[in-house]
Amino acid sequence: MSAATGTHDALVRAWAADLRAGSAQRWADFRVGARPASPSSGDGPVPSAAQLELVRRLDKDLPSFGRLADLVLATAGPGRGLVDVPLPGGPPGFGTPPVEPDALPADELVRIACGVLVTLLIRDVPAAAAPPRFAWRPWRRGVTVLGAPMTAAVLRDELRSRGIRDGGRSPTCLVLGGPLDRLMAERWSARVAAGGGMRWQRLWESAMAQDRLPPGIQLGTIAARLSEQFGAANVHVILAEDPRAAVALAGEILGLDLPPAVPRPGSGLLATDLLRVLNPLLVLNVGEDGRDLLADQVWPGLAGVESDLALAPPPGKVGWAQTTAERVAADLRAGDYAVHGDPGTVVPVRRAGARSKVDPEAVLEFALGVLGRSWVRDLARSARPDTPPRRPTERQG
Amino acid sequence: MAKKVILHVGAPKTGTSFVQDLLFSERLALAARGILYPADRFDAHFLAALDLMQLPWGGIEREATGAWDRLAEKARAWPGTVVISHEILATASRVQVARALESLGGEVHIVYSARDLVRQLPAEWQENVKHRREATYASFLDDLQDPERASELARWFWGVQEVPDVLDRWGSTLPKENIHLITVPPPGAPRDLLWHRFAQVLDLDPEEYAREEGRTNASLGVAEVAVLRQLNEKICDFVPNYHYRALVRESLVHQNLSQNRGSAALSVPPDVWTWADQISRSWVAELALRGYDVVGDLDDLLPRPPSEFVDPDNPPAEDLARAGLRALTAMTIEAARLRDETVELHEEIDRLHGEIRSAHATRFYVAKQHLVAKARTSPVAARGLAAYRRWRA
């Protein structure tokens, strides 16, 4: 190691120590004010700009912040990304070009955050929970709920809690629909919750290339199939602008006083985009069953409920979305089943504040919050004397 | 604890498959000499590499859980020399390298095989195309020339191919004499020279394990790779990866298009050659100062004089048509073979249905069926059926 490299590395380690102690000073400012450090090899590899910047952005009020900082600095970035980004100010060399840490792309920091999150999550994979028990009332007619996947899941849970079974020989069939972009967003959330890793844009690209909506939200096809199987009189297509209105309409049809639909925690757009990155990493570490348990039982508590953000079709897909939605609306108008609401609702309209892609900066902010809550959860776990980590081996780097 | 661990970390497209195949097929003979290649298939260390680097890989990572720890455990338990080899290890970060070295124990030697950049550039693009990518050659080369390495493609390429950086990440905590840089001989060198160089590092007699042909990655010509890239554009939204692997990569590319290449070899345009030459010279100058054990000649890493460039984004129409026809022929023959398979399976299903029908045609079976049907409506028959079932139980 040259003297210049040693001095630079010592300065980087000094900044790392400063951040670990709770500073939020940027590298550019720290470097100007710092005294020249004597060359030092230090312990372990010199942290990369991405690891350091993630520490800088974390909430300094988190308990045992220094230990969390140590964990971040000792955790390698998973997946594909910039390899060991150096900080500016060092001698010229080979490898990834130096980057001012606060200028790093947000997705690069999200990648590092995901490595730390996985390390924390897999330390305590919950055991499989017994399915909740409900008071079954077999004399009540079953209800089949299909269509908008996340809203349908919320409605199914509510009905089950009232002893109404899912399906049956001659069920009342509800097909939940709404604006196509919202249906696609729900479809995306549902796929990611089930372990998928598809990006929002990719979902649209795939659908457009095949000129077909993903299964599960092909409202006309679903309603026609149910109509053929159970009779048109038993099929109700519900079209509403938002999940609350859809569930309220469902309550009217079923003659039930249903509470307003509350989105499932952990299924918002930012949570979905973050879970998309985490999914393959969780599978890699604890297998698909472990991922499912974490996603079902732990993730909702960590990710919480987001404010109602909306996603619009990606650029270049708006025309296809309109045409497809009009086709769906025409199918619904031509169907022999009951349609509650205006079929025109399916056609997406430009909504204020809707973005055509998930904002990486917003995902990073969200990831920092989830990371903080995961850290607190892990501290609580380690404080329990009788609960050793469920995973036999764990890694921090 | 293993006395010595030889960790071959890349680079891709430098004969790694050949070496892994040889180590795997000779693993029993090697073990008898105290050299362990702990693998149940030639590329077994791929999963361990995915696990070490926490690298999702199109769903294959499902099989990688705990793979590195298991590999390291085998290495620690072996009393002699252990060889671990996978080319994607080249892109490991320093934290991942530290974990790998710590987990292996023993005296670790890093082996990195390198080939000149002008041959690596088209080889890597071709590999990308064989893995469903749709990027044109021009955009691929643009991405790699971006000094910020903004694209995922550039990050990966330089992560595995930038020789001084890879060796610095893997070797900065090891003695220089434990770092072995094998250079891939230039075109026209004897075919077995690369194996001789590997054998030297592995301390094997190259003649004892010499072989005519080993596993190599299929190489395509300009027109063939152009057809494949355009095919990717058309089918990748419809064909899932497991079908793509079997039908396109294996059947079309490996068994057909790569046999008897029918068009010009891939190369680089003149301006890219100049850029790559400059980079290569800076690498060679740096490596000469590092004091590593160079097996071969650092000058092997300097590009040979530029050859004629045929643009795979605009190949000669006649070559493209010929390659397209070859692809269509191959896929039609494959489709016919699959149809034959389908017909045979239907015949088998019909035969089994026939056997079931024969079994159901006996008087006793017909009487039983009648009783079961009657039991649905007649309480007497239901009681009789229940009694029969109790008797059978």
Side-chain angles (χ1 to χ4, degrees):
Chain A
M1 190 198 317
S2 70
T5 305
T7 306
H8 179 70
D9 287 356
L11 199 59
V12 174
R13 290 185 195 280
W15 189 46
D18 199 42
L19 295 175
R20 188 187 182 284
S23 163
Q25 196 174 22
R26 298 182 321 137
W27 168 247
D29 301 330
F30 179 86
R31 170 159 64 118
V32 170
R35 281 184 302 178
S38 51
S40 149
S41 57
D43 292 328
V46 178
S48 79
Q51 292 164 308
L52 290 159
E53 180 63 12
L54 189 68
V55 173
R56 195 182 77 80
R57 295 201 191 194
L58 278 169
D59 177 5
K60 307 295 183 298
D61 293 331
L62 286 167
S64 305
F65 178 79
R67 282 171 50 207
L68 174 58
D70 289 342
L71 176 66
V72 174
L73 297 177
T75 304
R80 296 180 180 214
L82 291 167
V83 185
D84 292 335
V85 187
L87 294 166
F94 295 89
T96 306
V99 181
E100 283 294 347
D102 56 345
L104 278 164
D107 59 358
E108 192 60 21
L109 299 180
V110 168
R111 185 173 72 90
I112 305 293
C114 283
V116 184
L117 265 171
V118 167
T119 303
L120 292 171
L121 288 171
I122 65 173
R123 285 178 179 174
D124 194 13
V125 180
R133 300 183 65 169
F134 300 116
W136 289 107
R137 297 179 175 85
W139 59 90
R140 296 193 70 163
R141 190 175 177 196
V143 178
T144 291
V145 186
L146 295 173
M150 301 311 288
T151 311
V154 169
L155 181 55
R156 266 188 228 112
D157 286 350
E158 178 60 31
L159 295 176
R160 211 174 290 134
S161 73
R162 291 164 180 251
I164 299 172
R165 68 183 182 280
D166 190 9
R169 277 189 187 175
S170 178
T172 302
C173 301
L174 305 180
V175 182
L176 308 184
L180 189 71
D181 45 356
R182 183 169 68 73
L183 290 176
M184 287 289 273
E186 290 206 22
R187 169 70 184 166
W188 184 51
S189 285
R191 276 190 72 164
V192 171
M198 192 179 260
R199 291 172 187 270
W200 173 244
Q201 289 93 324
R202 181 76 193 129
L203 182 73
W204 282 89
E205 282 164 10
S206 176
M208 189 169 150
Q210 300 180 48
D211 194 20
R212 197 172 60 191
L213 287 171
I217 59 170
Q218 298 168 350
L219 304 180
T221 309
I222 296 169
R225 182 169 52 77
L226 291 172
S227 178
E228 190 182 322
Q229 192 173 354
F230 299 111
N234 294 318
V235 178
H236 302 265
V237 175
I238 296 174
L239 299 171
E241 287 288 344
D242 58 65
R244 280 172 186 263
V247 170
L249 261 173
E252 284 176 26
I253 293 164
L254 298 172
L256 297 170
D257 185 19
L258 299 177
V262 178
R264 279 194 162 180
S267 67
L269 301 177
L270 300 177
T272 298
D273 204 51
L274 186 59
L275 186 60
R276 171 185 69 77
V277 184
L278 286 169
N279 274 339
L281 299 172
L282 290 171
V283 169
L284 206 159
N285 283 280
V286 291
E288 288 183 70
D289 290 346
R291 188 222 75 92
D292 291 349
L293 290 167
L294 286 165
D296 289 347
Q297 297 183 39
V298 179
W299 182 249
L302 295 175
V305 176
E306 294 167 37
S307 56
D308 193 19
L309 295 174
L311 271 179
K317 309 289 182 289
V318 176
W320 180 80
Q322 297 273 345
T323 311
T324 306
E326 281 159 11
R327 207 162 57 207
V328 172
D331 284 351
L332 295 176
R333 285 192 189 99
D336 54 356
Y337 36 77
V339 176
H340 306 261
D342 177 8
T345 309
V346 181
V347 181
V349 291
R350 196 177 173 80
R351 278 181 280 173
R355 307 179 72 121
S356 59
K357 65 175 187 175
V358 185
D359 176 16
E361 290 290 346
V363 177
L364 174 59
E365 279 305 310
F366 185 78
L368 291 170
V370 174
L371 185 49
R373 291 188 284 281
S374 302
W375 176 244
V376 171
R377 171 182 179 261
D378 189 63
L379 289 176
R381 175 197 63 82
S382 56
R384 295 195 302 264
D386 56 340
T387 50
R390 285 187 187 278
R391 188 171 182 269
T393 56
E394 64 186 49
R395 60 180 53 101
Q396 295 183 13
Chain B
M1 179 182 288
K3 285 180 192 161
K4 185 175 177 183
V5 179
I6 296 174
L7 195 50
H8 179 206
V9 299
K13 314 305 292 180
T14 61
T16 53
S17 298
F18 170 81
V19 173
Q20 289 153 11
D21 191 38
L22 189 143
L23 289 167
F24 178 67
S25 59
E26 299 287 351
R27 64 194 183 286
L28 297 179
L30 291 169
R33 299 180 55 168
I35 301 172
L36 177 69
Y37 185 65
D40 51 12
R41 47 179 289 172
F42 86 97
D43 59 350
H45 302 160
F46 173 54
L47 295 178
L50 294 185
D51 185 33
L52 174 73
M53 299 190 294
Q54 295 287 285
L55 192 56
W57 198 282
I60 298 175
E61 69 277 1
R62 287 177 170 82
E63 302 163 36
T65 310
W68 181 266
D69 287 340
R70 287 194 294 277
L71 181 64
E73 195 180 337
K74 285 180 191 165
R76 288 195 304 272
W78 184 256
T81 298
V82 177
V83 184
I84 294 171
S85 171
H86 206 277
E87 54 274 18
I88 64 169
L89 286 167
T91 192
S93 69
R94 288 174 196 275
V95 171
Q96 290 158 343
V97 167
R99 175 174 174 247
L101 298 182
E102 189 187 344
S103 67
L104 292 171
E107 179 189 309
V108 178
H109 289 247
I110 299 300
V111 179
Y112 182 74
S113 40
R115 190 165 74 147
D116 73 84
L117 197 52
V118 160
R119 282 190 287 170
Q120 292 298 71
L121 289 165
E124 189 77 18
W125 179 64
Q126 183 185 138
E127 200 61 20
N128 270 271
V129 174
K130 279 158 57 181
H131 286 80
R132 302 171 65 102
R133 300 282 179 127
E134 299 167 18
T136 61
Y137 194 39
S139 74
F140 171 84
L141 293 173
D142 282 349
D143 276 354
L144 296 195
Q145 292 175 86
D146 170 12
E148 294 186 359
R149 306 182 180 180
S151 69
E152 186 184 290
L153 202 149
R155 294 170 187 182
W156 176 263
F157 181 87
W158 294 114
V160 294
Q161 298 289 356
E162 192 174 9
V163 185
D165 180 47
V166 173
L167 290 176
D168 194 38
R169 271 184 276 123
W170 273 100
S172 62
T173 61
L174 297 174
K176 303 289 182 202
E177 57 272 21
N178 288 18
I179 315 296
H180 310 275
L181 171 59
I182 297 175
T183 61
V184 176
R191 285 178 63 87
D192 58 355
L193 182 54
L194 177 61
W195 166 236
H196 279 246
R197 292 178 179 178
F198 272 111
Q200 184 182 327
V201 174
L202 301 173
D203 202 17
L204 296 172
D205 174 4
E207 301 302 334
E208 194 177 336
Y209 299 94
R211 50 176 57 194
E212 284 297 307
E213 288 296 330
R215 184 184 291 268
T216 53
N217 281 324
S219 183
L220 301 173
V222 164
E224 287 81 11
V225 78
V227 164
L228 185 58
R229 192 195 68 74
Q230 291 180 37
L231 184 67
N232 287 347
E233 286 181 339
K234 301 289 181 197
I235 66 171
C236 281
D237 280 321
F238 305 97
V239 178
N241 201 27
Y242 51 91
H243 283 324
Y244 186 92
R245 264 202 303 269
L247 284 173
V248 180
R249 195 146 63 239
E250 188 53 41
S251 179
L252 178 61
V253 175
H254 289 180
Q255 292 175 19
N256 286 283
L257 292 184
S258 64
Q259 312 292 328
N260 303 319
R261 196 175 67 207
S263 60
L266 285 165
S267 59
V268 297
D271 59 321
V272 174
W273 188 94
T274 305
W275 164 76
D277 184 57
Q278 283 171 0
I279 292 174
S280 304
R281 288 183 188 286
S282 72
W283 289 1
V284 168
E286 170 71 15
L287 293 166
L289 299 174
R290 295 260 181 109
Y292 299 143
D293 171 33
V294 177
V295 185
D297 190 334
L298 283 179
D299 282 350
D300 290 343
L301 301 182
L302 297 176
R304 301 296 105 176
S307 54
E308 187 194 355
F309 174 65
V310 180
D311 186 359
D313 295 338
N314 294 290
E318 196 177 320
D319 288 354
L320 193 66
R322 201 176 296 126
L325 189 59
R326 284 180 66 198
L328 186 60
T329 307
M331 296 313 274
T332 308
I333 291 170
E334 179 64 7
R337 191 187 67 75
L338 291 172
R339 273 184 66 85
D340 280 346
E341 231 174 70
T342 309
V343 168
E344 281 171 22
L345 286 172
H346 277 292
E347 284 171 0
E348 181 65 8
I349 291 168
D350 288 346
R351 188 183 66 74
L352 292 170
H353 272 152
E355 283 184 13
I356 293 170
R357 276 195 299 275
S358 304
H360 289 180
T362 62
R363 282 186 184 173
F364 183 61
Y365 189 87
V366 172
K368 271 201 308 186
Q369 270 188 322
H370 182 70
L371 177 61
V372 170
K374 192 81 179 162
R376 292 198 191 108
T377 53
S378 160
V380 175
R383 278 199 294 276
L385 182 63
Y388 168 74
R389 283 179 173 159
R390 275 198 302 277
W391 172 73
R392 275 205 60 178

